[in-house]
Amino acid sequence: MTGPVSTSRTRMGPLLARNEDFARDNAPLPLAPPTAQLIVVCCLDHRVDPATVLGIRLGEAPVIRNAGGRVTPAVIGDLAYLAFLARRVFGLSGPLFEVAVVHHTQCGTGFLADEAFRREAATATGLDEAALAGSQVADPYATVRADVERLRLSPLIPAEVSVSGHVHDVDTGRISTVVDAR
């Protein structure tokens, strides 16, 4: 049996050192519903970390991140499962939680709106061109409205889950509400 692998010479090394600081003072949280009764769906872009821009703390809100922060079948499946857990494991009834869909300006998936770029990306990555087209965020105000509607119409998402839509402006840092929760 061998011990832990040294990561002092990797890019992960400094983050693991920060983790040691975190672990030193960590008080584990019990398995429970998120205290903010909120789930955030957002882009994986490193400029829009929801813990930073929304001040989300550990235990407050799960965050689902993907390219563009788009509502995909996988996201819908995750949310349906979380709603099931809320009812079955935690015994919640009535309103379960809010899903906040957050898109942002200057999203790198906006390049996918260009057909030639999208085709090249599909060839280079092996990803489906139609799926890439569906993940683009050239106009975050339009795509967040579409994704909120997709969630609201999904038969897998219970009526006790409310959905809202927001856009983060990376220049100002402000998040504006585009679609109110319901």
Side-chain angles (χ1 to χ4, degrees), residues 40-56 63-69 102-108 137 140 166-175:
V40 177
V41 177
C42 65
C43 187
L44 50 76
D45 190 311
H46 61 284
R47 300 171 298 162
V48 294
D49 180 9
T52 302
V53 300
L54 292 170
I56 296 173
V63 177
I64 299 171
R65 297 180 77 168
N66 64 28
V102 182
H103 292 182
H104 68 94
T105 58
Q106 301 174 24
C107 186
V137 178
H166 313 269
V167 171
H168 174 218
D169 184 317
V170 297
D171 286 330
T172 67
R174 287 193 170 76
I175 295 179

Side-chain angles (χ1 to χ4, degrees), residues 50-106:
T52 302
V53 300
L54 292 170
I56 296 173
R57 285 178 249 148
L58 200 58
E60 285 187 321
V63 177
I64 299 171
R65 297 180 77 168
N66 64 28
R70 299 306 307 267
V71 172
T72 63
V75 168
I76 291 171
D78 287 346
L79 294 170
Y81 182 68
L82 290 171
F84 168 76
L85 285 177
R87 287 183 175 147
R88 176 68 172 81
V89 175
F90 301 115
L92 299 182
S93 60
L96 298 176
F97 51 81
E98 178 180 335
V99 177
V101 180
V102 182
H103 292 182
H104 68 94
T105 58
Q106 301 174 24

Side-chain angles (χ1 to χ4, degrees), residues 112 117-132:
L112 295 169
F117 183 91
R118 186 174 57 247
R119 190 175 313 109
E120 183 182 348
T123 300
T125 64
L127 297 171
D128 180 70
E129 191 172 340
L132 288 172

